[in-house]
Amino acid sequence: MAEHLASIFGTEKDRVNCPFYLKIGACRHGDRCSRLHNRPTISPTLLLSNMYQRPDMITPGVDPQGQPLDPSKVQEHFEDFYEDIFEELDKCGEVESLNVCDNLADHMIGNVYVLFKEEDQAAAALKALQGRFYLGRPIIADFSPVTDFREATCRQYEEDNCNRGGYCNFMHAKQISRELRRKLFGRYRRSYHRGSRSRSRSRSISPRRKRERERGERDVRDHDRHGKRSSDRSERHDRDGDGRRRHGSPKQSRSPVVREGSEERRARIEQ
C-alpha cells in the first residue's frame, strides 16, 4: 500500500495532494481546491505572487489607453524589473534561477520564482521581504515546493507553439537577453575564479612541509646518481671483449650460442 501511494504521489491519480501545486507552486482553484496544498516550512525557492505588472496586462500588446505597444519597449520594461529584483535578492545569497511568469491566469500572472543555492539564503530573503512594497504594492512572498523548473515549465511555450496561450496551467517563463544574463549570473563565476586564484596564491608551505620537500629532492638526486652509476656498470658488462655494445636485454635479444672448435679458440687466444 505504501509503495502504491508513493508511486502516485503528486500525479493526477493522487486524490489527496494537488499535483499542480506541487509542480508549479500555484493552483487555479486556490483555497477552494479539493486536494491538499502542502505548503513547505523551508525551501530554497521563494514565490513572489503577482509581483510583475506587465504594461499590457489588460490586452496583450496594448496599453491601458488602448494604444499599441512596441515589443522592444515591453521587453525593456521587463528587463528593468528583472534586474531590479535580482539585485535586491542577491543581497541575501546566490541566486541560481529567477523566473517570471508570462501567464495571464489569475493564479499565475506576474508570479516570480527565485531559487537560491541554499535554504538558509531563501529564509533570509523571505524575512527581508516581509512588510516590503514594490511600486506601491505589497510583496506577497512564501516558500514554494518547486525546485525543478523543468517540470513546471510549458515545453510547448519554449518551442513557441503553445495553443493555450497565456492561460496555460504550466509556467510560461519570460526570457531575458543574453547580455543581461551574463551580467547578472556571470558574477558568481567571476567571484569563484577570483576566490580560487587568491586561495592558490595565499597558500604557503609550512616549515615541516618545506623540510620534507627538500629531503625528497635530495633522495631523488641520490637515486639518480646511484642509478647512473649502476647503469654505467651494466653498460660496461654489456660490452663484448672487443668493446662493441650489445643491444637489447640478454634474455630477449641474445642470439643463439654457437660453440667454437678447439682450433678456433686457440687462434683467438693467440691473437
Side-chain angles (χ1 to χ4, degrees), residues 44 93-96 115-119 121:
E94 182 175 343
V95 179
E96 287 196 348
L115 173 64
F116 287 91
K117 187 175 182 180
E118 303 292 342
E119 291 181 346
Q121 297 172 351

Side-chain angles (χ1 to χ4, degrees), residues 46-54 57 77-78 81-82 84-86 88-89 98-101 106-114 129 132-141:
L46 290 183
L47 169 60
L48 313 180
S49 301
N50 310 123
M51 187 174 183
Y52 175 59
Q53 300 290 303
R54 47 187 293 172
M57 288 183 61
H77 177 273
F78 166 66
F81 167 82
Y82 192 99
D84 192 14
I85 296 301
F86 187 96
E88 188 65 26
L89 295 171
L98 179 63
N99 295 295
V100 181
C101 289
D106 293 338
H107 66 291
M108 295 190 68
I109 185 170
N111 282 0
V112 178
Y113 295 83
V114 52
L129 293 173
R132 299 278 297 276
F133 289 77
Y134 186 81
L135 296 179
R137 301 175 63 251
I139 300 176
I140 304 173

Side-chain angles (χ1 to χ4, degrees), residues 8 13 23 37 58 62 73 80 83 95 133 138 142 146 162 166 171 174 199 206 209 216 224 238 243 246 260:
I8 65 174
K13 296 180 180 180
K23 286 182 180 180
H37 292 176
I58 300 176
V62 180
K73 296 295 183 181
D80 289 341
E83 185 174 3
V95 179
F133 289 77
D142 203 352
V146 181
C162 179
M171 186 188 301
K174 290 180 68 66
R199 286 193 298 270
S206 62
R209 294 281 300 278
D224 292 341
D238 286 342
R246 289 202 307 268
E260 298 175 341

Side-chain angles (χ1 to χ4, degrees), residues 55-195:
D56 55 347
M57 288 183 61
I58 300 176
T59 305
V62 180
D63 64 7
Q65 287 74 31
Q67 299 297 324
L69 291 171
D70 185 358
S72 62
K73 296 295 183 181
V74 176
Q75 182 66 19
E76 183 180 355
H77 177 273
F78 166 66
E79 293 193 354
D80 289 341
F81 167 82
Y82 192 99
E83 185 174 3
D84 192 14
I85 296 301
F86 187 96
E87 294 293 349
E88 188 65 26
L89 295 171
D90 180 62
K91 298 176 182 178
C92 300
E94 182 175 343
V95 179
E96 287 196 348
S97 180
L98 179 63
N99 295 295
V100 181
C101 289
D102 199 26
N103 303 68
L104 296 175
D106 293 338
H107 66 291
M108 295 190 68
I109 185 170
N111 282 0
V112 178
Y113 295 83
V114 52
L115 173 64
F116 287 91
K117 187 175 182 180
E118 303 292 342
E119 291 181 346
D120 57 349
Q121 297 172 351
L126 179 63
K127 183 179 180 180
L129 293 173
Q130 296 295 331
R132 299 278 297 276
F133 289 77
Y134 186 81
L135 296 179
R137 301 175 63 251
I139 300 176
I140 304 173
D142 203 352
F143 289 119
S144 174
V146 181
T147 55
D148 187 358
F149 289 100
R150 292 174 298 179
E151 296 292 331
T153 305
C154 176
R155 294 180 177 85
Q156 286 75 21
Y157 174 78
E158 294 178 346
E159 299 172 358
D160 200 18
N161 61 359
C162 179
N163 54 10
R164 294 188 177 185
Y167 293 92
C168 178
N169 285 324
F170 287 91
M171 186 188 301
H172 288 189
K174 290 180 68 66
Q175 300 299 317
I176 60 175
S177 63
R178 184 176 301 176
E179 291 77 13
L180 181 58
R181 182 170 297 278
R182 187 183 301 112
K183 173 185 176 182
L184 298 179
F185 292 94
R187 67 184 64 180
Y188 301 125
R189 292 191 292 271
R190 290 193 296 269
S191 62
Y192 172 78
H193 291 310
R194 284 198 300 268

